[in-house]
Amino acid sequence: MGSFIVFEGGEGAGKSTQARTLSRRLSREGYQVVLTHEPGGTPLGETVRRWLKTRRGLTPTTELMLFTAARAQLVETIISPALESGRIVICDRFIASTVTYQGCGRGLDLELINRLNKATTHNLFPDLTVFLDVEVETGLARKKGRPGGQTAERDTFESETLEFHRRVREGYLALASSEPPACSGREGWLVIDGTLPRDTIASRIWEKVRQILDDRPADAR
């Protein structure tokens, strides 16, 4: 069985950058790696991604169902087969995003979300969840500061209120600090200050991931 590592964070936290950095590092070290993202990673997922990013007016419940449908397809066709073959899977967002964005942010029933998460993943949890934490204002300013950020139309989530994004961040912090850690497996959460230099963040992530890989049975390396 392979290892499953998920990156989480609010808008502009830098998780996608760090997910790619870790994927490249692992590949250089000789590991077989699958890098994917939510929603997306499959033809269905990419179509759902475009809908969710650009089509305003979706109800919160519709949004939730689209996310979970895309996740079911990703888990069954990409993530689970890769893990069963012994590969390392890195996913940019997973079930914690649904809890925080649709649950804490949108106010949907958390019990319903948890049931849907379990059903669509077949009780699959990450071995490690890396959460890059930044203040809401900092993250949104980063998004605006990227090439085209001042002129590009903001997507559905970037256009939400500061209060929405604060609820999302508070949800992440609550999940990471829960006992046992929610939405994660045996290694729990690695919380890192997302305002640290990129190289510093990457080094801390690598240190933790290397420990996990060193602890794997010899025939799984």
Side-chain angles (χ1 to χ4, degrees):
M1 191 71 173
S3 297
F4 186 25
I5 301 166
V6 168
F7 283 77
E8 294 282 1
E11 306 302 313
K15 60 184 176 46
S16 301
T17 297
Q18 291 299 332
R20 291 192 296 268
T21 298
L22 177 61
S23 176
R24 290 192 294 266
R25 177 80 181 260
L26 287 166
S27 295
R28 289 197 302 269
E29 295 287 333
Y31 291 96
Q32 291 185 310
V33 184
V34 173
L35 174 63
T36 190
H37 59 274
E38 281 206 354
T42 67
L44 171 66
E46 294 301 331
T47 298
V48 170
R49 184 182 186 86
R50 289 192 294 273
W51 289 346
L52 289 166
K53 288 281 188 178
T54 61
R55 298 194 180 187
R56 293 174 175 81
L58 293 176
T59 70
T61 302
T62 301
E63 184 180 274
L64 170 64
M65 295 304 176
L66 287 171
F67 269 115
T68 53
R71 177 173 300 129
Q73 186 75 3
L74 182 64
V75 168
E76 293 179 16
T77 64
I78 303 295
I79 296 177
S80 289
L83 291 173
E84 289 168 4
S85 68
R87 297 180 183 180
I88 299 171
V89 177
I90 300 171
C91 193
D92 183 346
R93 296 199 183 282
F94 198 56
I95 57 176
S97 284
T98 307
V99 173
T100 55
Y101 277 79
Q102 281 67 57
C104 303
R106 299 287 192 222
L108 293 179
D109 181 63
L110 289 174
E111 183 178 346
L112 169 63
I113 290 172
N114 288 331
R115 289 202 306 269
L116 287 171
N117 279 342
K118 289 181 179 179
T120 55
T121 64
H122 306 289
N123 284 318
L124 174 66
F125 291 95
D127 294 305
L128 173 69
T129 300
V130 179
F131 171 51
L132 301 183
D133 182 36
V134 297
E135 295 282 351
V136 167
E137 292 84 354
T138 300
L140 293 175
R142 282 180 174 180
K143 297 281 280 193
K144 290 182 181 179
R146 291 174 183 170
Q150 295 288 350
T151 57
E153 183 179 2
R154 294 191 298 168
D155 69 30
T156 303
F157 297 103
E158 292 170 41
S159 301
E160 283 295 340
T161 64
L162 286 176
E163 288 72 21
F164 172 88
H165 290 290
R166 287 175 182 140
R167 291 195 299 271
V168 169
R169 180 177 180 235
E170 289 167 2
Y172 272 126
L173 292 171
L175 289 176
S177 62
S178 62
E179 189 59 43
C183 298
S184 191
R186 60 188 176 87
E187 298 294 336
W189 289 60
L190 174 63
V191 180
I192 300 177
D193 180 353
T195 64
L196 292 171
R198 287 184 181 180
D199 288 347
T200 300
I201 295 173
S203 294
R204 294 187 180 181
I205 293 169
W206 177 246
E207 180 180 356
K208 180 64 175 178
V209 170
R210 186 177 57 186
Q211 291 174 1
I212 295 172
L213 297 178
D214 287 346
D215 290 341
R216 294 203 305 177
D219 60 356
R221 298 177 191 172

